[in-house]
Amino acid sequence: NQRINATIKSGGEMTALDVTRKGFPKWIFTGLTVRPDNITQQAAALQGYHNDWVLVVMDEASGIAPQIWAAAERLMTNERCFWLVIGNPPVSGLGEFVQCFEPNSGWHCVTISVLDTPNYKAGKERIPGVSGRLFAEAQAAKYGTESPRYLANVLGEIPFATEGTVYGDCVGLAMREGRIKDTAYNPNEEVYTFRDLGTMHTAVIYAQFHTESIYLIDYYEDHVGAGIEAQVNSQRAKSYRYSEHFTGWDVAKDAPNAKDMRGKYVLDIFEEMGIRLQPIPKYSFLDGVQSVRDLFKHFVFDRVRCRDLVTALRHYKIHKVERASVEGKPVYGTEEERSPFTHGAAALRCLALVHLYHRSKFSRLPGRTDEMLPMQHQTYDKLAMPGAVDNFEDLIGVENEGVYTS
């Protein structure tokens, strides 16, 4: 009936997944159903559809596999190729659909809120099946109007601060304030590096310090165990004018990860390759987290070179205490949730702690002290975040709607 009443009729014969139009051999509408067991096959089939004009339509786009997105992108070969994706924002804040809403993504994004629907405005069901006032009020009562679920389910917005994330709200604010943008290396300023070293995973942040801002101009990430040599070669290839290089406390010569698998000190290996790393003193995990949050308003990220860092910071999470959590009211502990996002976050903690405690020529921002202080001089008993609890060691039975940092 919808076809019969359409303003512009497509014509043709409807089959299970195809529509063709007699006399127009290149007018073909083809549907694909994707299941976990046929993703590779369907992705290969999709990328074979070429024509004078191409329109790709994805419904429920947030649930479509990356392989299908990649295949569809290969069809966008000229100005006569169009791509429409429709879906609800995932509460997780992850996926290709979410990336469409990032700054300078190239997509024209239209957001439709439940508050904009005829059903909500009229206070009654005008269009059957469309969410309205009852749904919006129920979501607000259950999760709160500031929760990621309300933002995604009711307002149709991408929740940058998803449940359990540490810096999601900070990244969201940086995006709104235009602090994730194209930046340029200033050859008149020195570059400092801050890193988190591991056997298989490594992250390096390249930063320049200005009077009012800290420019994060570049980022290196290794998740395949490429090793120290690859890391050093990458640093040399950037041709920056370097100053000091800092790393975590765990590779100091009296620390547990001081030596590599051959029994050689990691710091000595770097020094032999021309990089003198300075391990920072050991501070508490929560000190590092709060130091980053305090300093975040001064960060300016390069949109392209630091994209992976921004992604890591958006999705970096603290460990959820499942036995104390209920739906919509999660409870979090004091340890991070191990994931590929932890290493970029650790490198940023290194930067923040150096800035907070280390006397150096590189910054005039508030918060510096004259020397590296012992940990007891500056500890945070409670994170300055929404929903933080007073006693992190006694979480059982605590109802918490907030988000912790890690």
Side-chain angles (χ1 to χ4, degrees):
N1 291 336
Q2 289 177 331
R3 272 183 63 204
I4 293 172
N5 296 325
T7 303
I8 301 176
K9 298 177 174 59
S10 63
E13 298 297 327
M14 178 71 74
T15 61
L17 289 173
D18 298 281
V19 177
T20 60
R21 188 170 184 180
K22 294 178 181 179
F24 294 87
K26 289 189 175 183
W27 282 48
I28 305 169
F29 301 149
T30 300
L32 298 176
T33 57
V34 181
R35 304 184 305 273
D37 62 342
N38 73 351
I39 289 175
T40 302
Q41 175 185 349
Q42 293 290 48
L46 176 60
Q47 65 188 15
Y49 288 103
H50 293 281
N51 210 333
D52 296 340
W53 295 79
V54 173
L55 170 64
V56 177
V57 180
M58 289 183 173
D59 193 20
E60 301 295 348
S62 61
I64 293 178
Q67 297 95 316
I68 303 300
W69 282 82
E73 187 174 13
R74 297 188 189 102
L75 300 182
M76 302 296 111
T77 56
N78 58 55
E79 68 277 2
R80 297 184 304 279
C81 298
F82 300 90
W83 195 355
L84 171 66
V85 299
I86 308 166
N88 297 316
V91 176
S92 67
L94 293 168
E96 280 71 18
F97 184 65
V98 171
Q99 294 174 12
C100 298
F101 292 83
E102 293 182 353
N104 303 306
S105 68
W107 287 86
H108 174 68
C109 299
V110 178
T111 298
I112 301 176
S113 166
V114 172
L115 310 186
D116 297 327
T117 64
N119 290 6
Y120 182 89
K121 292 181 176 179
K124 59 183 179 180
E125 188 176 67
R126 288 187 175 274
I127 304 176
V130 172
S131 299
R133 190 166 298 178
L134 184 63
F135 175 78
E137 291 174 352
Q139 291 281 300
K142 186 172 184 178
Y143 303 115
T145 57
E146 299 298 323
S147 69
R149 291 177 184 270
Y150 185 86
L151 289 175
N153 297 343
V154 177
L155 301 185
E157 297 179 1
I158 303 297
F160 283 95
T162 56
E163 287 185 358
T165 55
V166 178
Y167 307 120
D169 58 334
C170 299
V171 174
L173 181 61
M175 294 186 73
R176 291 192 295 273
E177 292 180 347
R179 289 186 284 114
I180 301 175
K181 60 183 182 179
D182 294 323
T183 64
Y185 162 60
N186 183 350
N188 297 319
E189 297 284 347
E190 295 176 320
V191 173
Y192 294 77
T193 69
F194 305 86
R195 65 195 74 204
D196 176 58
L197 298 175
T199 305
M200 285 294 296
H201 303 279
T202 292
V204 184
I205 294 173
Y206 296 77
Q208 290 189 300
F209 293 79
H210 298 209
T211 303
E212 297 295 334
S213 301
I214 300 174
Y215 279 75
L216 308 182
I217 62 169
D218 215 331
Y219 182 63
Y220 171 87
E221 196 172 71
D222 170 26
H223 288 303
V224 298
I228 293 175
E229 184 176 358
Q231 182 186 153
V232 172
N233 288 340
S234 173
Q235 183 166 316
R236 288 172 176 166
K238 297 182 185 298
S239 301
Y240 296 143
R241 187 165 65 91
Y242 292 107
S243 182
E244 297 176 85
H245 308 283
F246 298 91
T247 189
W249 64 271
D250 56 335
V251 294
K253 291 193 173 181
D254 58 348
N257 298 326
K259 297 180 180 180
D260 68 358
M261 297 178 66
R262 300 167 298 173
K264 193 167 184 177
Y265 284 113
V266 172
L267 297 181
D268 290 345
I269 298 173
F270 273 94
E271 188 132 18
E272 290 171 3
M273 301 183 77
I275 297 177
R276 181 177 175 271
L277 289 185
Q278 302 178 57
I280 65 173
K282 184 177 181 180
Y283 291 92
S284 78
F285 174 67
L286 298 183
D287 266 358
V289 166
Q290 194 61 57
S291 297
V292 171
R293 291 187 62 84
D294 289 344
L295 202 58
F296 218 101
K297 60 182 175 290
H298 297 291
F299 292 149
V300 178
F301 298 86
D302 184 89
R303 180 182 63 86
V304 176
R305 293 188 294 271
C306 290
R307 178 174 178 172
D308 289 341
L309 174 61
V310 172
T311 298
L313 296 175
R314 275 191 60 195
H315 302 298
Y316 176 57
K317 291 187 174 185
I318 197 121
H319 176 67
K320 184 177 179 180
V321 183
E322 295 290 349
R323 58 179 177 167
S325 300
V326 296
E327 185 181 1
K329 294 186 180 296
V331 175
Y332 298 98
T334 57
E335 298 179 354
E336 64 188 357
E337 179 180 289
R338 299 300 295 177
S339 74
F341 306 130
T342 62
H343 309 285
L348 195 62
R349 286 202 303 274
C350 177
L351 184 158
L353 287 167
V354 168
H355 177 271
L356 182 63
Y357 296 115
H358 188 52
R359 178 178 174 83
S360 178
K361 297 178 294 184
F362 63 66
S363 178
R364 296 295 180 268
L365 294 175
R368 278 197 315 122
T369 59
D370 289 339
E371 58 187 26
M372 295 295 268
L373 299 176
M375 186 175 65
Q376 62 266 26
H377 283 218
Q378 180 66 296
T379 57
Y380 293 86
D381 296 323
K382 180 177 178 180
L383 295 177
M385 304 177 61
V389 297
D390 292 321
N391 187 354
F392 286 94
E393 304 303 323
D394 186 18
L395 289 172
I396 304 303
V398 177
E399 292 188 352
N400 166 45
E401 298 183 31
V403 178
Y404 293 148
T405 66
S406 64

